[in-house]
Amino acid sequence: MEINGSKQYAHGNQPSTDSNNANKVQSTEKEVFVNHAEITWHEIRRQWVGDQSQKSKRMAREPIMSWTTTYEDLLCSTEPFQQPIPLAEMVDFLVDIWHEEGLYD
């Protein structure tokens, strides 16, 4: 039954204020989204890259290739290097050679 725009509840049909308060609390609490795929990605990357704190403590070492090494020295030699050459050092060497020959612009 409705009187003057307000609802009148019969004996057992009145909503409890406790359930209204519980609904308000639930609606104000926000669920926190956890991106499990991103967490897994970072863990796998950390395993792949390794511990960065240990890498920063390494001392810079002398280049393995001599500054006088030429492109022909590398191409004409069939002997293996005395020790592995880091990729960054080889890339720097090749870029320098390519700049000199006008192949890298």
Side-chain angles (χ1 to χ4, degrees):
M1 162 174 24
E2 190 173 325
I3 303 174
N4 296 334
S6 64
K7 293 183 180 180
Q8 295 292 325
Y9 293 99
H11 214 0
N13 294 338
Q14 194 170 20
S16 72
T17 56
D18 290 338
S19 65
N20 285 341
N21 289 340
N23 288 338
K24 288 179 184 176
V25 170
Q26 288 176 352
S27 66
T28 58
E29 290 179 6
K30 293 184 179 181
E31 291 184 30
V32 176
F33 174 74
V34 177
N35 189 339
H36 295 286
E38 180 184 13
I39 293 169
T40 304
W41 182 86
H42 283 290
E43 289 173 359
I44 292 171
R45 182 180 187 280
R46 191 173 14 261
Q47 291 171 1
W48 178 263
V49 173
D51 188 1
Q52 294 297 320
S53 64
Q54 296 298 326
K55 289 184 180 184
S56 64
K57 292 180 183 178
R58 288 184 189 169
M59 294 179 63
R61 56 183 174 165
E62 292 295 317
I64 294 172
M65 291 192 311
S66 168
W67 291 109
T68 60
T69 304
T70 65
Y71 196 59
E72 288 77 23
D73 293 338
L74 293 178
L75 291 176
C76 295
S77 176
T78 58
E79 294 182 29
F81 297 111
Q82 294 176 355
Q83 54 186 323
I85 298 174
L87 179 61
E89 185 176 333
M90 182 58 75
V91 169
D92 288 341
F93 172 78
L94 291 173
V95 167
D96 289 343
I97 295 295
W98 295 336
H99 272 294
E100 289 174 8
E101 295 180 359
L103 300 174
Y104 188 84
D105 290 322

